[in-house]
Amino acid sequence: MINSLFLISHSGDIFLEKHWKSVISRSVCDYFLEAKEKAGDPENVAPVLQTPHHYLISIYRGKLFFLSVTQTEVPPLFVIEFLHRVADTFQDYFGDCSEVVIKENTVTVYELLEEMLDNGFPLATESNVLKEMIRPPTILRSVVNTLTGGSNVGGTLPTGQLSNVPWRRAGVKYTNNEAYFDVIEEIDAILDKSGTTVFAEIQGVVEACVKLTGMPDLTLSFMNPRLLDDVSFHPCVRFKRWESERVLSFIPPDGNFRLMSYHVSSQNLVAIPVYVKQNISFLETGSCGRLDITIGPKQTMGKSVENLTVTIPMPKSVLSVNLTATQGTYTFDLTTKVVLWDVGKLNPQKLPNLRGSISIQTGSPKPEENPSINIGLQIQQLAISAGLKVSRLDMYGEKYKPFKGVKYVTKAGKFQVRT
Amino acid sequence: MTTMQRLLQLPVNAVNIVKTVQSQVQGHEEDKSPVLSPDSGQQTWYSALQPDELRHLRSGGTGGGGGGGGGGGGGGDQEERGSQEDGGGGGSFQSQPLRHDDLKEMLDSNKDSLKLEAMKRIVAMIARGKNASDLFPAVVKNVACKNIEVKKLVYVYLVRYAEEQQDLALLSISTFQRGLKDPNQLIRASALRVLSSIRVTIIVPIMMLAIKEAASDMSPYVRKTAAHAIPKLYSLDPEQKDQLIEVIEKLLADKTTLVAGSVVMAFEEVCPERIDLIHKNYRKLCNLLIDVEEWGQVVIINMLTRYARTQFLNPNINESLLEEGGGADKTFYGSDEDEDEDEEEKEKKAEAAAMAKRKPYVMDPDHRLLLRNTKPLLQSRNAAVVMAVAQLYFHLAPKAEVGVIAKALVRLLRSHSEVQYVVLQNVATMTIKRRGMFEPYLKSFYIRSTDPTQIKILKLEVLTNLANETNISTILREFQTYIKSMDKDFVAATIQAIGRCATNIGEVRDTCLNGLVQLLSNRDELVVAESVVVIKKLLQMQPEKHSDIIKHMAKLTDNIQVPMARASILWLIGEYCEHVPKIAPDVLRKMAKSFTNEEDIVKLQILNLAAKLYLTNSKQTKLLTQYVLNLAKYDQNYDIRDRARFIRQLIVPTEKSGALSKYAKKLFLALKPAPVLESPFKDRDHFQLGSLSHLLNAKAGGYQELPDWPESAPDPSVRNVEVKESVPEWTKCSSREKRKEKKVEKPFYSDSEGESGPTESADSESDSASGSESGSEGSGSASESEESGGVSVSEEEEEEEEEEKKTKKRELKKAVQESESEQSSEEEDRKHERKMKQQKSDSESESDEEEESESESSQSESDDSESEAEVRKKKKAAESKPPSKPAKRETTKEKKEMSLLDLDDFEPAPSPQVTPVNNLFSNSLVTDLEGLSLSEAVLLPATITPSSALKSYELLHRITGEGLSVEYCFSRQPFSPDANMVAVQMQFTNSSASDTKSLHMEDVKLQSGMRVKEFPEIELLPAGETATAVMGIDFCDSTQAANFQLCTHTRKFFVSIQPPVGELMRPVFLTENEFKKEQGQLMGMNEITEKLTLDAKCRNEHAIVQRVTTAANLSRVPCGSDKECSPPVPPPEHPVHRFAGRTVTSGSLVLVTVATREEGAAQLTINCEKMVIGTMLVKDILLALTQ
């Protein structure tokens, strides 16, 4: 399946390689680097490349390319999904998935890769199992390790592979037994110039943080499960129970995991929490333009909108902007030409406004298109689908009484206003 | 001083020398990187680039000699730097080889911590791709090290370098052999893993032995490792294949989920052609599938897709009654909630289904098992699993069921952009074959300006594939926004997409063309160029209408520089020079001037233009042509020289010129067929979807072709497992089932326990209601699964559905009872009457068809308002008519049966029994029944089917058909082979003197997306006889005509069938509330309202209902007003009539409301997502109501 993996930095430096079958020379990456050069934007590099003898399948995460080499037919999504799982594991282990962090932890990374694939076929990808074999570095342990010369490799042999519940390690013990669930809903929307909704939908996830002793069997039920149109689950969820009763029944992995993600039935109209009044115009002559954006609350269900950000990718010919914000601060990145306005909390009494002038390179024509406005926001204590509520959480199989908590958050997903 | 400054101080030649030396020593030097400092190894290698560089510098300085002091100084300085960074270990820097010696020393020491440190550094070197092979002897000694951490790292090293140092690697083998016998399963597994990863040919026999032993290990984990080892050994020594297959066979029989995925992977790599090994394990694999780990699922599903293609019959090609019946059943139950049959009818249905099972095609239960067991995996979090299931459904499922994958695939579009990229590629391929599936998700493919370009272009592709008459306006509006994008590649792709929409959908061609012409004045040259190219293609379809556009484009030659665009314009002018007689020579003149500076493709087109002008207008252009040809004669490009020579010979008459020159005009000015703009994803589905080969559209190494369906099903019994074996296996399965059941039951009980228990008291109060609710649900499903547990291949899903149905039915019955109690007996009569009227109208139109006098039919229309008695009489008359032409009827019926083979199963259900039952139903229910497309088909085929022709149209007139006349009508029956098709009933009458033989259709020409199911060939139509046949057409919700040739043994006739918009829908049942709800969602642009004055004869309810239902295949929505308008009570002032239907192909709702007012005024409202259909339907219904 996967022959080799190369980690390549943003600038094209190959800083880690791992081979699971015969060694493949790193010169194979030249094809990729060439394609990367051609594409310009790293996002635009085709994930699958064909070279005379190999196929290169890559992902771009955290300013890094994970490039895998394969010689035979393999489902591309299989590889892509696996590479993302690798990146997730790094994130999980080191708190970040960047070049610096990976270089700092080369040996652990190498050990992880060794465990995750055998002969190019995924072996152990569950974080619970991996953590039992290779302990994640902590500050304390790294201090201890330098003193005693120990390492991160688990001293004992793992048992997880052998239990009936492959995603949960055995013998978990906590003094405080807690289970937290975050219901996070994201609004994906495209609004047109006049503010009417071209397309809007709600995607949600239930993120869980379960720290429970033993082998708890949990059942999570919702007030209004009919609302869920399309769902996908962590493998621990018993699908049949969901089919028949619309409850989530599962033995959770230990720690943080994504329990499910869902799509809210498109029948329900999507509440758009904010409106954007915008006027961006470029003058035909004189190489300048105007920008005036006001944001106000629309359907917020009485909650306040926080962490409001506005991102505007400007046309490449824009030289600089001269704006004033009534609230928050704005920055203009000269290389990417992106205006980022960090508004903060939305005050309904005094609506935030950003206005000013844009100057364009002299001589370049007036930009054809007005830039689109991307909104980021967060509303605490609200699930925008208005109705999805966790009704109860039951635990079987263990005697103690866990502490349970549910939190609701609404965020803007891909929320774009066309201008 | 920084490194850079040091570098700058070097003399130039030194730098050059350094470079050469660097390249010489590179291989060597890299081994001696300064990573190996004792305690801060990672840190140094992280900044290792610098020291490396400078070390080269120094060696350059000394080795080359010419470096002089500068080089030496740099080196020296670097040494310091290096030692600083290296900390304690820096002292050894001056002598490179010592670095490895240090490590060797560390490895040889007794302290585990030192060994570990050394190993860590070595691994870090490997990770960076540095060569550490000369440490092999030192490392391999530690293979037996007690410290598990050291051991692991040694394994890593061994696996990496064993291939290069085969002899030394042998030293480690005995350790692994010992490990294989270890009591700890994990040590056994890891020993096998490393042993099999060492690519040393000598140990092949040892590996083989180890694998064989591990395959029968008691630990499933070790067996899994054995499965992993199989492909490793195979790649090392393919000669072992036969022995390995034996091991695979053994492991395939393994019943643990842990092994299943790995062994199938081994199977795929070693012997994918040995499909026979799967037979016995097929059912087990299907049943285990859901519990296998994600990666294994992907491999198993892909393999089973191939397997199923060889073992089962195509569910779509065969006119599979069971499938279609099943499919129809499903939609029927799903959409219609008025499940109002009696038990009696149910039984009949069951009978029918049972009979259906005896029909030639039945889906193999194993096929069904696969589909059912993979379906839940669409909910997997793993995109690869979802994609695997999606491709399985696409390749294996009956058409009606494929739709379920769309939602899951659309969900994946939220994922990482790489996932999106792959999914969109596959969706693009799917949309070509199964457009309807993704149409509801059209908006999910809308493009955001922040998407990467490659995603944008793929989304565009999908949008273009999804475009049809009904959604084209929305799509074009969307495209309008895209054209303004800053991303020019994307804009170009959008223009191409518009061009494709315009070619595919005739109605918008002019609009698109206008839009594109406007783009010609765009400031961006690329946009203009792309538009020119697309316009050229569009104009080729109808050039005569657009000479002004051609003129406009001719003017553009002065400005446009993009070669492709220039070439396109020139080609256009040349091709249609007759339409622009004045401009063309002038353009040639200009081009002749700039000829030498043009690109090659432009030059070729100039030659082309010159040649064409010479032929049509030699007077004006002779000299110019000569000039251009002369220029071309001396061109650098031989293609152009060749072309010039060729053209000259062809067009300029000389005494030598060959026979061809007189045909020059024909050659150059031949009518060229318009280009077909089609998707690059067309026909990609011959590659298995989701595969690498599909993505690249080229066969990748090791790709297994997706086999075609077999003609006849191979023996299904091969999958039967012997009883002795099967008992444990099935009990295993059922125990699995039971385990699940237990899980199902448990919460039910424990729930209630929990509520009473003290621990749950905290939340029991609020939960008691929901708890009991879920409890009752749970008990229902539990009992169900108990039932199904008995049946080996359980039909749980269906049963669940049935359960739902039952409850719905119960509700409905209640409603019926209520309404019945309220209704008087008169009401029932009335309803009866309406029913008969329906039949009457049917028979009337039939009489029409049978060439009765026009007057009667026109009179019949006025009958609507006549008394009941008259109606009855009419009906009788209609009924008595058929026997008067017994011969005709018989043939009709016979043919009918032949063509609708699948329907005659239902014939035993006699209609007379059905009708009285219906009579007992409430008023509303009868109308409901009208809406139940299937119930009609099932219950009344004998009476209605042959005579149900509504309005017939002429397909072929007696005169033009030389005695053969053909009429067709839309029978409004569901077309059973394909639910998305409209059934068209054709009646062939042979009025000539001779027999007509082998009547069939050929050469079907359709708009893209449309499909036709041809009627079976009629072998013989004797003179004077009549025959009927039914064909199905999927009009794709458009009123485009289906053109085809009707062939007899002697002649071919071009004919076309164009449906009235009202026939593009099938009735659905909605309650009034549902209707209003749906209507509420189809407001705005989707609503069309017209005021009208009802025809004088059409002011009562019957007339309105009758006319509307005649005009369009809709069903009446029973509403509150029904009660009000029952006869004895004075009719309500202004009743509102509602009708509902769905379009046949896409299933979009069509809602029609006729609200009557005073004095025959009325308001007609149509709500339909498909605006085109809506507008057309308004016209039709208006016409029906006002005349």
Side-chain angles (χ1 to χ4, degrees), chain A residues 1 15-17 20-23 26 43-48 55 58-61 72-78 80-82 84-85 103-104 106-107 110-111 114-115 117-119 121-123 125-126 133 148-151 153-155 157-158 161-162 186 188-190 198-199 203 217 229-235 238-241 244-245 267 284 313 315 365-366 368-369 372 374 391-392 394 396 401 404 414 416 418, chain B residues 42 45-46 113 116 120 123 126-129 148-149 152-153 156 160 163 184-186 193 199 221 224 228 231-232 258 265 269 294-295 298-299 302 376 379-384 387 407 411 413-414 416 418-423 443-444 446-450 452-454 478 481-482 484-486 488 522-523 690-693 695-696 700-703 737 740 743-744 746-747 750-751 755 759-760 763 767 777 781 796 1081:
Chain A
M1 294 252 164
F15 65 92
L16 191 135
E17 62 179 66
W20 285 273
K21 299 184 182 178
S22 289
V23 177
R26 60 166 61 191
E43 292 256 295
N44 278 336
V45 185
V48 182
Y55 304 100
S58 64
I59 63 162
Y60 182 65
R61 274 275 291 263
T72 52
E73 168 65 45
V74 60
L77 266 185
F78 183 97
I80 289 171
E81 185 78 19
F82 176 78
H84 276 294
R85 205 61 71 78
K103 280 181 172 176
E104 270 172 14
T106 319
V107 177
Y110 221 67
E111 283 167 349
E114 183 74 27
E115 285 303 328
L117 277 181
D118 180 16
N119 193 35
F121 189 79
L123 190 64
T125 49
E126 282 298 333
M133 291 190 277
T148 62
S151 83
V153 179
L157 288 163
Q161 289 277 13
L162 313 174
E186 294 194 348
D188 284 2
I190 302 176
V198 178
F199 163 72
Q203 308 275 353
D217 193 337
D229 178 41
D230 180 41
V231 284
S232 71
F233 299 120
H234 190 275
R238 296 179 182 111
F239 189 72
K240 290 238 157 119
R241 280 284 305 271
S244 58
E245 296 168 59
Q267 301 285 312
E284 202 63 60
K366 169 186 175 238
E368 290 281 329
E369 187 199 33
S372 59
N374 299 288
S391 75
R392 60 182 294 167
D394 299 311
Y396 309 101
K401 192 167 189 281
K404 313 170 218 175
K414 297 173 179 167
Q416 193 162 79
R418 291 176 176 167
Chain B
Q42 284 132 358
W45 85 248
Y46 158 39
S113 61
L116 186 62
K120 274 187 176 177
V123 168
I126 297 173
R128 260 199 315 157
I148 197 163
E149 303 167 54
K152 262 196 174 173
L153 295 176
V156 170
R160 170 70 179 74
E163 202 171 8
N184 186 326
Q185 49 178 347
L186 286 160
R193 206 176 137 196
R199 286 169 291 273
Y221 184 58
K224 183 187 174 77
H228 277 283
K232 294 185 207 170
L258 208 54
M265 198 265 304
E269 289 207 9
E294 298 158 295
W295 313 107
V298 178
V299 180
N302 281 326
Q379 253 65 47
S380 172
R381 63 167 172 176
N382 189 319
M387 190 66 233
K407 204 186 265 181
R411 164 168 27 95
L413 295 180
R414 281 270 301 174
H416 302 284
E418 295 89 9
V419 176
Q420 284 184 43
Y421 176 80
V422 179
V423 171
K443 289 188 168 180
S444 303
Y446 279 10
I447 294 157
R448 292 182 163 79
S449 60
T450 41
T453 310
Q454 48 184 349
E478 208 34 42
T481 351
Y482 302 160
K484 285 186 265 163
S485 169
M486 288 183 266
K488 291 304 164 207
N522 194 292
R523 210 178 294 123
S691 67
L692 186 61
S693 306
L695 190 79
L696 299 167
Y703 172 73
E737 216 85 83
K740 292 250 158 75
K743 280 176 198 159
V744 172
K746 205 166 93 185
S750 46
D751 227 5
E755 267 158 44
T759 45
E760 297 291 324
D763 30 21
D767 292 334
E777 260 178 34
S781 57
E796 276 170 64
Q1081 286 172 2

Side-chain angles (χ1 to χ4, degrees), chain B residues 789-971:
Chain B
V791 193
S792 59
V793 184
S794 61
E795 304 271 334
E796 276 170 64
E797 266 170 59
E798 278 90 327
E799 273 175 22
E800 264 158 47
E801 241 172 41
E802 223 158 75
E803 186 68 25
E804 238 176 66
K805 238 164 45 202
K806 271 182 202 159
T807 49
K808 270 178 201 151
K809 202 179 123 182
R810 249 174 257 139
E811 280 168 25
L812 214 112
K813 267 194 184 155
K814 219 185 271 170
V816 169
Q817 279 161 8
E818 272 168 26
S819 60
E820 263 184 337
S821 61
E822 274 171 36
Q823 280 158 350
S824 61
S825 59
E826 274 182 37
E827 163 118 26
E828 264 173 53
D829 272 1
R830 208 183 133 77
K831 171 223 69 206
H832 194 120
E833 165 208 325
R834 183 179 322 142
K835 177 148 185 61
M836 289 199 298
K837 226 175 224 178
Q838 198 85 47
Q839 287 175 345
K840 178 209 70 180
S841 72
D842 288 350
S843 54
E844 262 171 20
S845 46
E846 197 205 22
S847 64
D848 220 28
E849 181 193 37
E850 284 167 23
E851 292 171 44
E852 297 246 328
S853 67
E854 291 272 330
S855 62
E856 200 194 308
S857 67
S858 68
Q859 192 204 343
S860 71
E861 270 186 26
S862 62
D863 285 347
D864 297 335
S865 50
E866 280 170 27
S867 72
E868 200 182 295
E870 186 122 354
V871 169
R872 287 223 165 107
K873 208 168 80 191
K874 272 266 168 212
K875 195 203 164 205
K876 259 179 216 157
E879 270 174 351
S880 62
K881 229 167 258 164
S884 68
K885 295 175 182 170
K888 241 185 205 177
R889 261 311 282 268
E890 233 170 65
T891 47
T892 314
K893 211 169 162 189
E894 247 174 51
K895 288 294 173 194
K896 188 79 222 164
E897 280 165 17
M898 215 172 82
S899 57
L900 283 177
L901 247 185
D902 29 1
L903 271 182
D904 50 11
D905 281 322
F906 295 119
E907 265 189 338
S911 61
Q913 283 179 18
V914 175
T915 348
V917 174
N918 280 351
N919 284 344
L920 297 174
F921 281 65
S922 77
N923 192 354
S924 64
L925 281 177
V926 171
T927 33
D928 301 347
L929 265 182
E930 286 162 13
L932 295 180
S933 47
L934 190 86
S935 65
E936 259 181 289
V938 172
L939 304 173
L940 312 169
T943 48
I944 287 187
T945 313
S947 60
S948 73
L950 293 158
K951 186 176 174 195
S952 65
Y953 306 85
E954 186 170 75
L955 191 64
L956 189 64
H957 191 262
R958 190 159 43 86
I959 308 294
T960 46
E962 295 173 3
L964 180 72
S965 73
V966 185
E967 290 185 325
Y968 67 95
C969 64
F970 296 92
S971 61

